[in-house]
Amino acid sequence: SKVFPKLAKSITMAAREGGEDPESNTKLKTAILNAKAENMPKDNIAAAIKRASGKDGADITEINYEGKGPHGVLLYIECATDNTNRTIANLKAYFNKGGGQMVQTGALEFMFDRKTVSEFKKPEGLDMDEFELDIIDSGLEELEVDGEDVTVYGDFTSFGSLSKGVEDQGVETFKAKLKRIPNNPTDFSEAQIEEIEQLIDKLEDDEDVQAVFNNIA
């Protein structure tokens, strides 16, 4: 699975940043939960944690790139790489072939708000009104319910507290990530979106790319 190497990097970086004990490292605990939600094997998870204290883990660099794709769509790309020269060369090639261009780092960052986003299926018997009240102090900014799907939003600085707040309410399986949400979403036609998604798919398939954010409404 192409997603496993990306999840492994997230686990390694979280363990390197905050220690290898998930009980005292919320970011690592959440990375492990995200991996389990994708059915990543336990051995892979353990290897990713162990890698944090080795040379391979030390060589991984987190770096972001920005660009404009077809029809002026804005793209913010988060990467984790052990070879920035390879990463930038690959990204430039994708943009050139996909009808776009990379821009100077920082040029588009203000167009996105960085948020903590937790997603989960509503557990049976969970009172959503009480749940919302109980996690406000954990950093909740917005709550969306779509059938059984629940999405919780907070400022990026509340990642640890909001993840713990959700877990403390008895939600055992959830995904939590830092996302960049466009503050001025733009409408594109279906034909334009199809062309844009071809470039996004190429970017997301790259082993060094952790996430690609856009300003599509």
Side-chain angles (χ1 to χ4, degrees):
S1 174
K2 288 184 178 180
V3 75
F4 286 174
K6 298 178 188 290
L7 291 168
K9 282 184 179 178
S10 294
I11 292 170
T12 298
M13 290 186 296
R16 187 182 67 186
E17 180 182 322
E20 298 182 15
D21 180 5
E23 293 307 316
S24 59
N25 182 349
T26 303
K27 192 172 182 180
L28 174 59
K29 188 172 187 176
T30 306
I32 292 171
L33 282 172
N34 292 343
K36 287 181 176 178
E38 298 292 343
N39 298 313
M40 187 172 176
K42 290 182 179 179
D43 288 348
N44 295 41
I45 293 172
I49 295 173
K50 186 177 180 181
R51 194 175 298 120
S53 57
K55 183 179 183 300
D56 290 346
D59 286 343
I60 298 175
T61 300
E62 294 181 78
I63 189 166
N64 304 325
Y65 297 101
E66 299 161 41
K68 292 184 178 181
H71 312 292
V73 68
L74 306 182
L75 300 173
Y76 196 100
I77 307 145
E78 294 182 346
C79 300
T81 178
D82 59 0
N83 186 328
T84 55
N85 290 332
R86 176 191 67 220
T87 305
I88 189 67
N90 288 345
L91 296 188
K92 284 181 177 178
Y94 302 142
F95 273 96
N96 289 340
K97 292 178 182 178
Q101 62 179 1
M102 299 186 70
V103 300
Q104 184 177 354
T105 300
L108 305 180
E109 189 166 14
F110 72 99
M111 300 295 292
F112 296 85
D113 295 322
R114 202 175 189 205
K115 297 291 183 182
T116 293
V117 183
S118 294
E119 302 169 335
F120 59 90
K121 296 288 184 182
K122 185 171 69 172
E124 187 175 348
L126 180 67
D127 186 309
M128 293 310 301
D129 289 334
E130 287 187 12
F131 174 83
E132 184 172 5
L133 287 172
D134 287 339
I135 65 171
I136 283 178
D137 289 341
S138 298
L140 174 70
E141 290 184 345
E142 185 179 350
L143 178 72
E144 291 180 357
V145 181
D146 182 10
E148 296 302 306
D149 296 321
V150 181
T151 306
V152 173
Y153 296 90
D155 189 74
F156 78 98
T157 58
S158 301
F159 181 85
S161 61
L162 194 54
S163 297
K164 187 176 186 303
V166 171
E167 184 182 23
D168 287 348
Q169 296 306 308
V171 179
E172 296 180 358
T173 304
F174 63 93
K175 293 182 182 180
K177 294 183 178 180
L178 290 172
K179 295 187 176 183
R180 296 180 190 269
I181 298 173
N183 50 45
N184 187 24
T186 301
D187 290 313
F188 296 91
S189 69
E190 287 188 18
Q192 289 173 331
I193 289 176
E194 186 174 337
E195 190 176 347
I196 291 167
E197 287 181 341
Q198 290 178 4
L199 172 56
I200 292 176
D201 287 344
K202 286 288 186 184
L203 292 167
E204 290 181 336
D205 279 345
D206 190 279
E207 64 177 12
D208 295 334
V209 174
Q210 290 290 103
V212 180
F213 304 104
N214 62 70
N215 69 326
I216 298 174

